[in-house]
Amino acid sequence: RKMEFEPAPLNEEALLAIDDVKPRVASICPANLPSGGEQAFINIELREGNRLCVELSIQGYRVVGQEWDTVGDPSTFGANYESLHTLLCHTSELYKQEFAEELSRRLQQLVDGNDSGDEGAADQNN
């Protein structure tokens, strides 16, 4: 019998995604909608103030409602994105700005850390 790859349950993936983006949104939590093996739903309030209901399925993440715990008309659903982070970069300018600033700070910390580390090594040799 052929062995098939069993993906991690989507609810677990949704929880990991929530933890990943939580610092850059006003509010985020699992939605109070039925979810299971096929899909999971996430409520998000952007820093801009608008609320979204996002669906996670094997096709990816997409906005399915403009209010929490709401799935709207399928004709209004957004595009599918590979990650919640990518969806938010396309949906929220403030999210994108905050992520870029955070990335810049982390890179600067790496540069600063390497500079001080090099000086320390040079001092030890003298």
Side-chain angles (χ1 to χ4, degrees), residues 116-126:
S116 64
D118 290 344
E119 291 169 12
D123 290 343
Q124 289 175 353
N125 291 334
N126 291 336

Side-chain angles (χ1 to χ4, degrees), residues 9-124:
L10 293 177
N11 286 340
E12 287 180 32
E13 184 176 334
L15 291 174
L16 291 172
I18 286 171
D19 285 343
D20 185 44
V21 303
K22 186 182 283 189
R24 295 176 296 280
V25 295
S27 181
I28 187 168
C29 62
N32 291 317
L33 290 169
S35 59
E38 304 271 325
Q39 59 198 162
F41 296 93
I42 303 169
N43 289 328
I44 304 171
E45 183 174 344
L46 303 175
R47 295 226 189 264
E48 290 90 340
N50 40 333
R51 291 181 164 189
L52 307 173
C53 185
V54 173
E55 175 196 56
L56 167 59
S57 70
I58 58 171
Q59 283 83 32
Y61 293 84
R62 68 179 175 173
V63 176
V64 295
Q66 299 300 318
E67 273 300 321
W68 284 7
D69 301 324
T70 303
V71 177
D73 180 348
S75 68
T76 65
F77 290 178
N80 283 295
Y81 294 93
E82 188 173 314
S83 71
L84 186 55
H85 166 75
T86 307
L87 180 149
L88 290 169
C89 281
H90 283 89
T91 308
S92 168
E93 192 59 40
L94 290 176
Y95 178 92
K96 188 166 52 173
Q97 286 175 2
E98 198 166 324
F99 178 76
E101 289 168 6
E102 181 183 325
L103 190 57
S104 180
R105 274 193 308 272
R106 286 184 181 181
L107 289 171
Q108 190 59 51
Q109 287 172 347
L110 284 173
V111 168
D112 293 347
N114 286 342
D115 287 348
S116 64
D118 290 344
E119 291 169 12
D123 290 343
Q124 289 175 353

